[in-house]
Amino acid sequence: MNRRLRLALGGVGAVLVGVALWEGYKAVGDPDGTVLFGARVLPRTDDAAMPHVWTVLSRFGDPELAGGDPIWLVVLQACLFTLRSVAIGFVAGALVGLLLAVLMQRLRVVERGLLPYVILSQTVPLIALAPVIAGWGGRLAIGPYPWQPWMSVTVIALYLAFFPVAVGMLRGLQSPAPIAEELMRSYAAGWWRTLVKLRLPASTPYLFPALRLAAAAAVVGAVVGEISTGTRGGVGRLVIEYSREATTDPAKVFTAMVGAAALGLAVAAIVGLGEFLVGRRRVRA
């Protein structure tokens, strides 16, 4: 209980520190931004660029349009739409990463040949890759079902999610001490039994941090994918739509950004809950 309370207080404290830094810089910063050697190194602090935190929060209760739904409801619906792509992309990416990690651990030649390309795949700019995936998806179909725009967003989320799991799980599967492997061989345990009884339990401390990174990456991929492909209904598209009103209503833009950040925190919290339940079960066992 004390550990969970400390984590909760730490999360609240981090939010308060962020708000204090935002308002502190707004209070003492230059309205035109800080310029160093002719380049702006810190942003402007006027209300058009940095609205007060309470202004952004109060904007959630205002209607999006005259007589329309409140902004908090619109942002919530957009986050739930994006959550579908995030969830599918995260689960599929985790499975792909897990399979790659098991394959690379099983065959050293596969690790040497495949791992550099796994790392290299993350150097491709996402904003350039997203239109390519959307273009390919427009020519595909799953049986009688045509390819939907949200599926392209899911593929982009998968693309970012598989990497942390593949690298983290590979490290976890290779973590058992040689003496433990020798013990399994002395029991005449085959590769599969050694994987299930030794390597997978030993990789748990590496798995959940990798899953948290994968969850955050899936959210980033989904939001950027929605922005790049123009997929309607999600929070990424909402950021673009609200940005058009940034000049006259800057606080409205930040409501969509807060929604995207809250979505990332919610997905990470779900992974953290899974880690807690697994750890609690292992303690009871």
Side-chain angles (χ1 to χ4, degrees), residues 140-152:
L140 299 177
I142 303 176
Y145 303 101
W147 189 266
Q148 300 296 322
W150 66 266
M151 295 179 182
S152 298

Side-chain angles (χ1 to χ4, degrees), residues 106-169:
R106 180 69 178 89
L107 300 172
R108 183 59 61 88
V109 64
V110 175
E111 178 187 354
R112 293 178 178 176
L114 186 60
L115 186 58
Y117 291 99
V118 171
I119 297 173
L120 184 65
S121 68
Q122 302 302 300
T123 64
V124 180
L126 188 61
I127 198 169
L129 184 65
V132 175
I133 295 176
W136 287 347
R139 300 182 179 90
L140 299 177
I142 303 176
Y145 303 101
W147 189 266
Q148 300 296 322
W150 66 266
M151 295 179 182
S152 298
V153 177
T154 299
V155 172
I156 296 170
L158 181 157
Y159 172 77
L160 289 186
F162 91 94
F163 175 75
V165 178
V167 176
M169 277 300 295

